[in-house]
Amino acid sequence: APARAADLTKATLRLKWLPQTQFAGFYVAVAKGYYKDEGIDLTINPGGPNLLAENLVATGADTFGLSGGLDSVFAARDKGMPVVCIGISHQMTPFVFVARADGPVKTIQDFKGKTVTTWFTGANHVLNAILAKNGIDPALVTIQPQQVSVTPFIDGQVDVITATRYNEYYTIKTRMGEEKLRTFVAEDSGITFPRDTLIVSETTAKEKPELVKAFLRASIKGWKDAFNDPKGAVDTVMAIAPTLDRAHQEFQLAEAKKLMVAGKVPEKGLFWIDMDSVKITQDLFLNAKVISKPVDLGATFNTSFLEAIPLADRKP
Amino acid sequence: MSSAPEMVGTARPRSLTLQRGVLGIVLFVLAWEGIARGFHLPAYTLPAVSDILASIYAKRAVLLTAAGFTLTEALVGYVLGALIGIGLAIVITLIPPTRAVLLPAATAINSVPVVAYSPLILLWFGIGMGSKFVMVALAVSFTVFLSALAGFDRVDRRSVDLLRSFGAGRLAILWRLRLPTALPLIAAGLRVSTVRSLIVAIVTEMLGAYGGLGWVIYQAVLQIDFVQVWGAIFVASAASLAFFGLIGFAEKRIIFWK
Amino acid sequence: MSTSSLAQPAQPPSGASLRLLLPLLRALRGLAILVAVFAAWEALVVAFAIRPYYLPRPTVIFAALWQTPAPYVQGFLRTLSETLLGFVAGGVFGIGIGLLFFRARALRELVFPLFIVSQTIPVIAFGALVVLWFGNTLLAKAAIAFYLTFFPVTVNTLLGLESVDPRQEALLRSFGASPLQLLTRLQFPTALPQIFVALRLASSLALVGAIVGEWFGDTVGLGVLLLQGMYTENVVSIWATLLVSALLGTGFYALVAAAERAFVFWGAEQ
Amino acid sequence: MSAPRKAHMAGALAPPAPGAVLSLPLAHRLLGMKESGAFGVCGKCRSLYMVEGRLLTLASSSLPLPAEAAGPTASTSAADARPLLEMKGLSKSFANVTAVSGFEAAIAPGEFVTVVGPSGCGKSTLFNIVAGLEEPDSGSILRFEGRSCHARELLGKVSFMPQRDLLLPWRTVIDNAVIPMEIEGRSRKAARAEAREMLPEFGLAGFGDQYPHQLSGGMRQRVALMRTFMFKRELMLLDEPFGALDALTRTMMQRWLLEVWRKHRRTILFITHDVDEALFLGDRVLVMSARPGRVKLELPVSLPRPRSAELVTDPEFVRLKRILLEAIEEEAMKSFLAPGASGTH
Amino acid sequence: MSAPRKAHMAGALAPPAPGAVLSLPLAHRLLGMKESGAFGVCGKCRSLYMVEGRLLTLASSSLPLPAEAAGPTASTSAADARPLLEMKGLSKSFANVTAVSGFEAAIAPGEFVTVVGPSGCGKSTLFNIVAGLEEPDSGSILRFEGRSCHARELLGKVSFMPQRDLLLPWRTVIDNAVIPMEIEGRSRKAARAEAREMLPEFGLAGFGDQYPHQLSGGMRQRVALMRTFMFKRELMLLDEPFGALDALTRTMMQRWLLEVWRKHRRTILFITHDVDEALFLGDRVLVMSARPGRVKLELPVSLPRPRSAELVTDPEFVRLKRILLEAIEEEAMKSFLAPGASGTH
Ligand SMILES: Nc1ncnc2c1ncn2[C@@H]1O[C@H](COP(=O)(O)OP(=O)(O)OP(=O)(O)O)[C@@H](O)[C@H]1O
Ligand SMILES: Nc1ncnc2c1ncn2[C@@H]1O[C@H](COP(=O)(O)OP(=O)(O)OP(=O)(O)O)[C@@H](O)[C@H]1O
Ligand SMILES: Cc1ncc(C[n+]2csc(CCO)c2C)c(N)n1
Ligand SMILES: [Mg+2]
Ligand SMILES: [Mg+2]
């Protein structure tokens, strides 16, 4: 039975970025009242270039966070921030590295001596790992911070560009044509870099486990709806951010779905935390000295909230 | 205009004012340190000053490079903006009909807050130094343009007439009369622009850059290194003050007659 | 010292109607110029085939505004309220602190250098902290607007109060005026023109503060639209937002300037 | 420290030797006046005589005394005739200048005394002291209405008009004029009504609701004077009220001021740089020395009242002017070539 | 449009009826002077006579002529004696005021002519026209050195000193003084050397490298005058050069100016508000009417030169002053109560 307004618990979800269909499930859950049904009055707060969800969740400014990814969760724990990961959204690396099909870069080995741009906010670790796996000294590659705009790549000033599958790749594809592009995927080098992590503070995890469970239930419901009715989900998000491009958002949702249902998700359900890939990622960070020491994985990752939800409900 | 009671404003010893100012800052820093340590505030809420200073020392190489980067952007943009601002004001003064076009255009462009241009400028000029130069120049040129124009216009009509009576042309009047008259106002514009230029450079860096204090802050936020964020802020503040002081000093030297 | 400002006894009636007509005519002229500028812009883009990525045609921009007016209208209103709130708070606080500093010299000397230092800190570096302290509320943006506005107002209030002609003060004291009477009858009115100079500046700064504030995880506002436009490379949306910002900027500035004309009617001599 | 002074005696009386010290009985015998303490006023010729230290100033007029120019004696008893304001050995030093040193003078009720002296000689400083704005150096004696007092006790007791009109630009003519009454705590409404009635007399009829920037220099000055008159105190200090006006406007203002004074009967101490003005207005002219300011000469002005414009070409006027110019010449020369001594006001 | 004027004749000659129109031959017969076109100078008494329209102005001095005050006749031939500057029916209207209307005057080489008139009567406007800064209304006739010309042709030909000193605060005394020479294109070095030599004469010895803010008002005014003198043109226009100075400093400056003029021998047109100043300095005083300005009276000043301070109490001076005051009185009254007419300068 729907809870009455007076009984609702106020909570906020801090996103890692601006409103877009990458986060459609949460918006759908709000629009359909799934959080209310669970007794939560949820407000979705967008992120942005100068905000860090971990920080806001750790200090209690926000209840939940859909944060950068394993990289930011590890970094936060490494700095002593009491955040707990309660779910992972993107089960595989959301980035691809893009070169021109007719350009000089045909293989990863060709990165040597070329200009590669990437974001120094996580994607750089993937790039470094790929280079390492392929035995390339990163010093031989000209790695630069990536522009806001993909135009430098389109104009040929950059040889390889980093693109999220759901954002930049769409932009490049629509401006150049997909056939003109060659992509390099991290998984091909045996690297998986799960991103878009759901986090809460240790306090919330300890004191309000029911709230966390309720939040996950409603969120999964929202996402399943979004997958089933992508058009409606895009409408919901476009109502929040009407200046967005519909075609792009439809593409984005489809890509997000691919990322979210990858890996163990078909068996374990949405937002599943695959501890194996978590460990692999931690090693990657330790090697790259992104974190100074191994973090307490048991305290950082908590699957109990997910597991409290029947598996059938969690499966996409 | 030197009538007796005007001197009532007693010239207090400068040293006392200075002492008080230093005392204020010291008290503030001590209170900050006390609060941060006393309440065991985590670094992401408020790091202790001592930690920040230690981090500045530890990361001095990075911060120095970043400060150099930002100062370069600010300085180049500043000089560019100042030249454009003064140049435009000179054009309007020498060729009066251009005023009807340039002034409304400048006012219109100026009515948009500078930071609002940053997305466009970043898209147009990329995240390299170019976009920072443009942003800083944009911010500085309007301030300087408006103050220079006000300065050129402020000149006493009678002084203009006097020089005209000596047979002086527009250029001679600009050079001998308008420019020196406008200097205090131009200098005031230049002075307020110093701090602005650094802030605009940093703000733009935070939206995308290859380096600089803003970029350091941005990276540090994402790497959850808040001591580093504060360290960069301290350095930015110090750089601003130094730039401000430098221009103020130059102003006192050049405009000695005030 | 105005030499030849004339005391016109009652204006002739034709003057009165003219006075009503004149602003109307001026507004019309401004509008005509605006239309001409947009027409020239359009022509320029078409003639030189400028890529819309660099400069979209104004008609395209207006079409975007026309088709999805809601985010721009909402953004305008939201940013306006943040600006107003920060501006009013900054103005009141700035004047108050200016008065306090004027009276308590020791306090001023103690605190003023800190104020100066505070103004060299880029707000954006603070943004994350402000959101942390104030949450995702209107207040957070207003706080940033406030932070940017109060200082110039304080400085000019202080300057204005100190610019009181000591002879004028002596005159009022010779009438036996109390400190409060001096403040209300002489010092504050004398400072008013200077205060308004700062308020005009502050009106622009408050807008900057509000927009930058919105870059920190806000849902509605012109700043949000700018950021979104930037990251989706939606140049048309950026331009549309710029035009709306210009409207807000000029409107707010004009409002403050009108208030200035109403309050400082005597034409401050500087 | 006593200043070199000359005692001038005009008209029928033979002048005593310059700088002579006369005993009070002698002064009485000479002038046939009745005693009233150390000071007195000649019942016949409305001039004041003073015996203070080594000074005796005597003045009388050979001209018949017009009724409206009867001065303080017309309605005052002997008690009123004691000086309203008395300064003895008045000195004032600032950080590194001594502005006034050993200034001595006494002003009788109803008198119009003008003060001339070179720029920077301390005239305004003197006024600031008498207005209560500044304390003189210790040792200075200041007496008001017969009682010795501190300068600050005079705040609110003396009607003071500084060198500039100092009108508040945000107040209308009326509202500027009522400031002193407002400060006294009078109701604004009553004060305004009273001021409005006075407008015609000050040549401001119909201008009550104008703002200062809408007025000419002469009118502004009249508003300032009106404000001073609205602060109804027995002693008025006017510091170069017409200094900023052009010579022609100034002449008009002088005549008008005498007219207003005639009606309102106040005691006026009036600073000017202009010898013609000092003579045209005053009952007595005090010439101050260059800084530090002392009284160099006291010159009674034995010219009939009411005074009209032609007076400035009257032989007696010209004679007095010559005396004044001679005295001033030397002092003015002292401060003429010194940099910064005379500012552009 | 001809103005009502009076022709005064001082000294031994009997004055013609006021406003009388004398034919040129008659004027010659009366004064026994030789003809030189429409204008001439009396060989005996250095005064100028003019016949223009319906005006005749005659002036002579009954006093013996001192050698240094010989005026334009001393070294000038008959050809030089034609007026340096001539204005006929000169008018100037602004948007909604007519500042000058039908102004007529002629200035002979070497003459010192003073102009008085109420505030706002168009004196500065007149000077602006003669300095070439403003064109008069069409129909006005302006002649310079005998040739009819446009006002703008006079730019750079007349040495002009405006109402304020207008010194440039960022230039030293020397550098302020050399501005006109700099603009003429002279080398700065030579100009500076020349200026430096002139310092003592202008009472500025040792002050050459000071900045204006370090000087007193009187000194600043002397720098401004020096600047005017450095611009070596035959005609000098001085617009109330001493207006901002206090009365005492002003007196010093007047005497000094006469001294400088005596040495440099320029033609001076001098505006003032001060009747004493006009008489003390001028060979001739032009009284202007209230706006629109015309010549209301031309008064030759038959006082000997060199003139000393005592002159102001000389009976002849006082007599002339009375005449001037009478003429001015009426005009001043007109603009006295009018708002905005006389500003505070
Ligand atoms: N508050 C002060 N501190 C220091 N010096 C002062 C002060 N007030 C006046 N003086 C000095 O005292 C001297 C006399 O000044 P004062 O204003 O009394 O002269 P004044 O006779 O009124 O001059 P003026 O005719 O120019 O108005 C001047 O040298 C002046 O600089
Ligand atoms: N450029 C101008 N535009 C409009 N009116 C003007 C202009 N210049 C002068 N006037 C008007 O012309 C009249 C004469 O002005 P002018 O300055 O010549 O008077 P003046 O005799 O020099 O006065 P003062 O003695 O106050 O210096 C005044 O009413 C003035 O307001
Ligand atoms: C300054 C800046 N930092 C990171 C990204 C990368 N990025 C692109 S879309 C997106 C949100 C979903 O992951 C992210 C993080 C960027 N574009 N600009
Ligand atoms: Mg004074
Ligand atoms: Mg003038």
Side-chain angles (χ1 to χ4, degrees), chain E residues 39-339:
Chain E
F39 295 82
V41 172
C42 171
K44 274 200 208 123
C45 66
R46 88 186 153 70
S47 36
L48 176 81
Y49 71 96
M50 278 172 285
V51 182
E52 40 152 284
R54 289 164 46 217
L55 168 78
L56 173 68
T57 305
L58 300 173
S60 70
S61 169
S62 57
L63 294 149
L65 196 66
E68 68 274 30
T73 44
S75 63
T76 49
S77 68
D80 285 348
R82 68 167 186 225
L84 180 67
L85 176 72
E86 206 186 336
M87 292 160 277
K88 269 192 195 170
L90 201 76
S91 303
K92 176 73 192 174
S93 306
F94 294 106
N96 42 15
V97 270
T98 302
V100 180
S101 170
F103 185 92
E104 320 234 325
I107 316 296
E111 219 185 350
F112 198 134
V113 177
T114 52
V115 181
V116 287
S119 235
C121 76
K123 301 183 296 293
S124 296
T125 304
L126 187 72
F127 267 34
N128 282 342
I129 292 170
V130 177
L133 297 168
E134 214 130 28
E135 287 296 333
D137 297 347
S138 65
S140 310
I141 293 173
L142 193 63
R143 280 169 180 279
F144 188 68
E145 293 177 335
R147 279 190 311 280
S148 177
C149 62
H150 283 289
R152 61 178 167 279
E153 294 171 50
L154 294 176
L155 274 177
K157 290 198 181 162
V158 171
S159 191
F160 172 61
M161 174 169 170
Q163 239 163 321
R164 289 294 180 94
D165 60 55
L166 300 180
L167 298 181
L168 303 182
W170 53 88
R171 283 176 174 245
T172 60
V173 165
I174 288 281
D175 286 353
N176 261 292
V178 301
I179 291 173
M181 304 175 85
E182 240 182 86
I183 288 171
E184 282 181 287
R186 292 265 313 262
S187 99
R188 245 204 209 195
K189 207 177 149 204
R192 277 189 183 144
E194 193 180 327
R196 210 167 279 283
E197 271 171 29
M198 283 176 84
L199 285 178
E201 190 181 333
F202 283 77
L204 295 165
F207 286 94
D209 299 319
Q210 302 269 29
Y211 286 91
H213 68 263
Q214 301 172 301
L215 305 179
S216 70
M219 299 183 85
R220 292 173 61 107
Q221 222 58 18
R222 269 173 285 156
V223 178
L225 269 166
M226 182 168 161
R227 180 185 58 199
T228 315
F229 272 90
M230 299 283 290
F231 190 52
K232 298 189 196 66
R233 298 295 181 270
E234 207 172 338
L235 180 59
M236 288 179 65
L237 307 176
L238 309 181
D239 192 351
E240 264 194 271
F242 308 142
L245 301 179
D246 69 78
L248 301 178
T249 311
R250 181 190 291 212
T251 314
M252 306 288 144
M253 293 293 294
Q254 289 162 4
R255 278 187 260 166
W256 166 86
L257 174 63
L258 284 184
E259 188 59 23
V260 175
W261 175 64
R262 194 181 60 79
K263 278 199 203 154
H264 288 261
R265 288 259 150 265
R266 305 272 187 88
T267 311
I268 295 184
L269 205 54
F270 184 109
I271 287 178
T272 177
H273 271 117
D274 185 335
V275 172
D276 277 14
E277 185 168 86
L279 282 171
F280 185 77
L281 295 174
D283 293 323
R284 195 155 45 111
V285 181
L286 303 180
V287 179
M288 282 179 74
S289 68
R291 196 178 58 222
R294 288 164 292 104
V295 176
K296 184 194 168 81
L297 169 74
E298 261 189 88
L299 184 72
V301 182
S302 44
L303 295 167
R305 291 185 189 270
R307 294 173 180 172
S308 65
E310 296 81 52
L311 192 70
V312 296
T313 51
D314 182 288
E316 173 65 2
F317 186 97
V318 173
R319 190 186 68 82
L320 291 172
K321 184 172 174 179
R322 195 183 286 264
I323 295 170
L324 273 187
L325 283 174
E326 197 178 286
I328 289 171
E329 168 98 14
E330 191 190 323
E331 297 303 321
M333 263 305 180
K334 283 187 201 162
S335 57
F336 178 53
L337 283 173

Side-chain angles (χ1 to χ4, degrees), chain A residues 274-289:
Chain A
D274 177 19
M275 288 312 286
D276 295 337
S277 60
V278 165
K279 279 183 198 119
I280 294 168
T281 311
Q282 176 172 239
D283 290 341
L284 202 143
F285 286 152
L286 280 171
N287 289 338
K289 298 205 168 55

Side-chain angles (χ1 to χ4, degrees), chain D residues 118-119 216-217 222 246-249 252 255 273 276 312-313 318 321-322 325 328-329 333 336-337 339-340 342, chain E residues 118-119 216-217 222 246-249 252 255 273 276 312-313 318 321-322 325 328-329 332-333 336-337 340 342:
Chain D
S119 237
S216 70
R222 269 173 284 156
D246 69 79
L248 301 179
T249 311
M252 306 287 144
R255 277 185 262 165
H273 272 117
D276 276 15
V312 296
T313 52
V318 173
K321 182 172 176 181
R322 195 182 284 265
L325 283 174
I328 289 170
E329 168 97 12
M333 263 303 181
F336 178 54
L337 282 171
S342 66
Chain E
S119 235
S216 70
R222 269 173 285 156
D246 69 78
L248 301 178
T249 311
M252 306 288 144
R255 278 187 260 166
H273 271 117
D276 277 14
V312 296
T313 51
V318 173
K321 184 172 174 179
R322 195 183 286 264
L325 283 174
I328 289 171
E329 168 98 14
M333 263 305 180
F336 178 53
L337 283 173
S342 67

Side-chain angles (χ1 to χ4, degrees), chain A residues 16-17 20 22 49 119 121 164 166-168, chain B residues 207 218, chain C residues 231:
Chain A
K16 63 183 282 188
W17 201 247
Q20 51 190 354
Q22 182 185 1
W119 302 299
T121 55
T164 51
Y166 45 81
N167 252 346
E168 287 77 7
Chain B
L207 292 179
Y218 172 67
Chain C
Y231 284 113

Side-chain angles (χ1 to χ4, degrees), chain D residues 37-50:
Chain D
F39 294 83
V41 174
C42 170
K44 273 203 206 115
C45 65
R46 87 187 152 73
S47 36
L48 176 83
Y49 72 94
M50 279 171 286

Side-chain angles (χ1 to χ4, degrees), chain A residues 202 253 288:
Chain A
E202 277 183 358
L253 182 53

